Amino acid sequence: MWINNKFPFLLYCNCEVEYSGRACSILENGNYLILYKNDKSLVIHGGDKITPRNYQGKNSNLLVEGDYLISTNKSETIKIKVIHVLNYFRLANWSNNDTIMTKTEKELVNKIYENWYCYVGVKCEEVYKEYMTEHGPVDLLGINNNKYHIIEVKRRKCNLKDATQLRKYLECFENKLGYLAGPDISEKALKYLDKHGCKFISVDF
Amino acid sequence: MWINNKFPFLLYCNCEVEYSGRACSILENGNYLILYKNDKSLVIHGGDKITPRNYQGKNSNLLVEGDYLISTNKSETIKIKVIHVLNYFRLANWSNNDTIMTKTEKELVNKIYENWYCYVGVKCEEVYKEYMTEHGPVDLLGINNNKYHIIEVKRRKCNLKDATQLRKYLECFENKLGYLAGPDISEKALKYLDKHGCKFISVDF
DNA sequence: ATATGTATCTCGCTC
DNA sequence: GAGCGAGGTACATAT
């Protein structure tokens, strides 16, 4: 057989792919790159784009039936008809290290937290990070004289969706003022904030 | 040199990766799989997970400087220090075909559109798909006796975010009734709908 | 080019 | 396991 049960492996081949599960899809005949990883996740990459043509999450099962590779995971199935193998080898000692990120949302949250008055313009007796509400945790909450200052922080340009997310949190308080904080904001989002008496805070790295 | 300027190619190697751009990241030394595709996109895959450890969008530039691979795209830079090449070859005739999907949100929208009374329970003189409002297009809008029936459709289980999205659209109308439609709904989302006088419509493939 | 919304989102975290 | 939010989201589409 052209495949053994050793993994992780890489298979570059001419094939066709059928998927059925949450959705359904067909990938017509062509040359694609198939990876079966350490965590038993499966990805099928085409000649362009970053995202795979098809995939299966970790702990998927893979078995060979004649010329077919059959991948199953819960109620999702991928059927690969392998017509011609172009390249096949084990990816020995493939590393599972993760990328360590900086410039995260947490950094921006801390920046506002450490320089509260500078960004919010109101001195608060109490300031909380990740304050839990009925609708989930708010990034920042400051309390001044029984008035609640609620801040939703984004590390990228804020959009309309972010503004509505803020509003969701505002519903949890009575005497309140809402803020959306980030490096930039879209016009629609700014208008929405204005309309609902909320403010935008410009904060960057 | 261990690399020529032919692409698309595949490189399995021991390396370290540094990224700087919208964010910053470091990937410590290990064995990773690097793909440079037809569209000049770059992906660096680790031994687990579906998503790449690092990537560059289409039309990125790639050049070799000694032992370093330098990828640039607009203001984003990836620097790969290649310590040892484990495998390297061209991916000749790599196909750019896309997966053809079925069971999409559009199908569900059409299903409700075609069987309006069956799902909504109200006969409407006018029914529109993708009806444009100040806050963007609503999936479905039905008008009956000057009352507006607004439906937000999801192909998967509906959540709280979906319910708040619906509410955003409702702000654009006066005499209105809101609906969230999908195969299933989370408890919190259902409670939220209830609280705001909206309904859930169960629709499936 | 910018803006907006979807995704078999994926992934991590919390309950 | 379900639910919720972040993401250098990526990607398609409309403007």
Side-chain angles (χ1 to χ4, degrees):
Chain A
M1 193 33 167
W2 49 268
I3 196 170
N4 58 43
N5 57 2
K6 301 269 182 64
F7 72 98
F9 70 78
L10 174 160
L11 172 64
Y12 186 51
C13 66
N14 182 262
C15 60
E16 297 159 16
V17 182
E18 250 185 81
Y19 158 72
S20 169
R22 274 176 286 183
C24 293
S25 76
I26 286 174
L27 179 59
E28 64 180 309
N29 181 277
N31 297 336
Y32 307 105
L33 182 71
I34 301 167
L35 306 173
Y36 193 50
K37 293 191 173 191
N38 297 326
D39 61 349
K40 294 190 166 194
S41 62
L42 181 83
V43 288
I44 302 169
H45 275 273
D48 62 4
K49 294 184 191 127
I50 292 160
T51 49
R53 293 303 196 267
N54 217 320
Y55 57 88
Q56 202 72 276
K58 60 182 173 188
N59 298 319
S60 68
N61 298 304
L62 188 67
L63 57 90
V64 182
E65 282 188 9
D67 293 336
Y68 287 86
L69 276 174
I70 313 283
S71 166
T72 51
N73 197 5
K74 290 152 199 165
S75 65
E76 324 235 38
T77 306
I78 294 175
K79 222 168 106 176
I80 306 169
K81 183 180 184 180
V82 180
I83 289 119
H84 181 62
V85 175
L86 298 163
N87 222 308
Y88 168 65
F89 60 89
R90 277 203 69 202
L91 291 156
N93 304 313
W94 201 356
S95 302
N96 281 353
N97 299 326
D98 280 325
T99 43
I100 299 153
M101 299 282 305
T102 52
K103 291 195 182 174
T104 61
E105 183 189 301
K106 197 171 279 184
E107 272 187 59
L108 289 187
V109 169
N110 284 332
K111 204 165 177 177
I112 297 171
Y113 181 82
E114 305 286 351
N115 310 281
W116 182 268
Y117 180 75
C118 174
Y119 285 108
V120 184
V122 178
K123 286 201 193 302
C124 287
E125 304 100 55
E126 301 167 67
V127 177
Y128 302 97
K129 287 186 267 192
E130 294 288 312
Y131 185 89
M132 186 55 68
T133 73
E134 190 192 343
H135 289 156
V138 180
D139 288 329
L140 283 164
L141 170 72
I143 306 173
N144 169 51
N145 216 3
N146 269 330
K147 180 147 191 172
Y148 292 81
H149 299 266
I150 294 126
I151 310 180
E152 173 70 24
V153 182
K154 297 292 163 186
R155 68 170 305 288
R156 41 137 184 89
K157 188 169 183 170
C158 301
N159 57 37
L160 185 56
K161 209 173 214 168
D162 302 327
T164 58
Q165 191 188 349
L166 168 64
R167 209 180 160 215
K168 182 185 76 182
Y169 293 126
L170 287 172
E171 289 182 12
C172 303
F173 299 93
E174 277 303 325
N175 185 23
K176 73 234 172 176
L177 193 51
Y179 306 82
L180 195 52
D184 199 2
I185 185 165
S186 77
E187 219 169 306
K188 273 197 177 182
L190 191 59
K191 256 180 72 178
Y192 189 91
L193 286 186
D194 227 42
K195 196 171 143 189
H196 292 89
C198 299
K199 291 180 183 175
F200 173 67
I201 294 174
S202 177
V203 59
D204 215 325
F205 297 103
Chain B
M1 194 34 170
W2 48 268
I3 195 171
N4 58 44
N5 58 2
K6 302 268 182 64
F7 72 98
F9 71 79
L10 174 160
L11 172 64
Y12 187 50
C13 66
N14 181 260
C15 60
E16 296 159 16
V17 182
E18 251 185 79
Y19 158 73
S20 170
R22 274 177 287 182
C24 294
S25 77
I26 285 174
L27 180 58
E28 64 180 311
N29 181 277
N31 297 335
Y32 306 105
L33 183 70
I34 301 166
L35 307 173
Y36 193 50
K37 294 191 171 189
N38 298 326
D39 61 348
K40 295 190 165 193
S41 63
L42 181 84
V43 289
I44 302 170
H45 274 274
D48 61 4
K49 293 180 191 133
I50 292 160
T51 50
R53 293 304 196 265
N54 217 322
Y55 58 88
Q56 202 72 276
K58 61 182 171 186
N59 297 320
S60 68
N61 298 304
L62 189 67
L63 57 92
V64 182
E65 282 188 10
D67 293 339
Y68 287 87
L69 276 173
I70 313 283
S71 165
T72 52
N73 198 4
K74 290 153 198 164
S75 64
E76 323 237 37
T77 305
I78 294 176
K79 220 168 107 176
I80 306 169
K81 183 180 182 179
V82 180
I83 288 120
H84 181 62
V85 175
L86 298 162
N87 223 308
Y88 168 65
F89 58 89
R90 277 202 68 202
L91 291 156
N93 304 312
W94 202 354
S95 302
N96 282 354
N97 299 325
D98 280 324
T99 43
I100 299 154
M101 301 281 306
T102 51
K103 292 195 182 175
T104 61
E105 184 189 300
K106 197 171 281 185
E107 273 187 58
L108 288 187
V109 169
N110 283 331
K111 203 164 178 178
I112 297 172
Y113 182 83
E114 306 287 350
N115 310 281
W116 182 268
Y117 180 76
C118 174
Y119 285 108
V120 185
V122 179
K123 286 201 193 301
C124 288
E125 304 99 56
E126 302 167 66
V127 177
Y128 302 98
K129 287 187 266 192
E130 295 288 311
Y131 184 89
M132 187 53 68
T133 72
E134 188 192 345
H135 290 154
V138 180
D139 287 330
L140 283 165
L141 169 73
I143 306 173
N144 169 51
N145 214 2
N146 269 330
K147 180 147 190 173
Y148 292 81
H149 300 265
I150 294 126
I151 310 181
E152 173 69 25
V153 182
K154 297 291 161 187
R155 68 169 305 289
R156 40 137 184 89
K157 187 168 185 171
C158 301
N159 58 37
L160 184 55
K161 207 173 217 170
D162 302 326
T164 59
Q165 191 188 348
L166 169 64
R167 206 177 164 217
K168 181 185 76 181
Y169 293 125
L170 287 173
E171 291 181 13
C172 303
F173 300 92
E174 276 305 324
N175 186 23
K176 73 232 174 179
L177 194 51
Y179 306 82
L180 194 53
D184 197 1
I185 185 164
S186 77
E187 218 169 306
K188 273 198 179 184
L190 191 59
K191 255 181 73 179
Y192 189 90
L193 286 186
D194 228 42
K195 198 171 141 189
H196 292 89
C198 299
K199 291 181 182 174
F200 173 66
I201 295 174
S202 178
V203 58
D204 216 327
F205 297 103

